[in-house]
Amino acid sequence: MKTFLVFLSIFLVSITFLVYQGDLAHYIQLQEYLKGLAEECASGAALYFEENAFGQGAFIFSETEARAFVTHLVEQGGEALAESGEGVLTYEMELFDAEKGFDAEGEIPSVQVTLTYTCPDLFRLPFLRVTEVCRQARYEQKEF
């Protein structure tokens, strides 16, 4: 009987470890996907700027075009994530330029995109609970 109880406890610990490893691998994959998507959104949105203002020496982002680009990418990313489970992907975009003001780091035009994926619990174990994954990317126009 003692051998059976030891075997059962080792078996349960092993199963718990395997479930944790599988869920953690999914969580890390989700983090990497959101980070790549955020970087793509930020770098793509930084390409939309006002050409007339640029010709006069001021760097101003075209917010409507940049927001449309990021919205399109986030919708595509949300559809890809919907295939693996139910969740909602949202974004926030901040533009720092000559018109809206620069951030505290100096006078460098930049775009900052924050993606938030809200979903049911990603871990099946009762002592772990992660329902929101948030990734952020920033793209700076160093030379303009």
Side-chain angles (χ1 to χ4, degrees):
M1 186 69 176
K2 188 164 113 177
T3 306
F4 176 70
L5 290 176
V6 170
F7 169 75
L8 187 61
S9 63
I10 291 173
F11 179 72
L12 288 176
V13 168
S14 298
I15 292 297
T16 302
F17 182 71
L18 286 175
V19 168
Y20 172 73
Q21 286 294 340
D23 291 346
L24 185 64
H26 175 67
Y27 176 68
I28 290 172
Q29 184 180 19
L30 181 62
Q31 287 264 6
E32 290 176 358
Y33 177 75
L34 288 179
K35 182 62 176 176
L37 184 61
E39 288 176 356
E40 189 175 343
C41 289
S43 64
L47 296 175
Y48 294 101
F49 57 91
E50 299 290 338
E51 294 176 7
N52 293 335
F54 185 74
Q56 296 172 358
F59 195 94
I60 298 173
F61 290 109
S62 174
E63 186 170 359
T64 56
E65 292 177 359
R67 192 163 301 278
F69 176 77
V70 172
T71 302
H72 176 69
L73 283 181
V74 169
E75 286 175 357
Q76 284 184 338
E79 290 173 4
L81 289 173
E83 294 174 3
S84 64
E86 56 187 61
V88 177
L89 181 63
T90 58
Y91 76 93
E92 292 179 21
M93 182 178 69
E94 293 182 73
L95 302 173
F96 301 102
D97 58 11
E99 184 179 66
K100 295 166 192 64
F102 296 103
D103 60 342
E105 294 182 15
E107 294 187 4
I108 300 174
S110 59
V111 177
Q112 182 171 319
V113 176
T114 305
L115 296 179
T116 305
Y117 183 65
T118 308
C119 60
D121 193 11
L122 291 172
F123 290 91
R124 292 174 279 189
L125 298 175
F127 50 86
L128 291 172
R129 183 160 176 79
V130 175
T131 59
E132 184 176 275
V133 181
C134 184
R135 293 304 296 212
Q136 186 176 48
R138 181 184 188 104
Y139 189 83
E140 297 179 345
Q141 295 282 1
K142 292 277 184 177
E143 296 181 20
F144 59 92

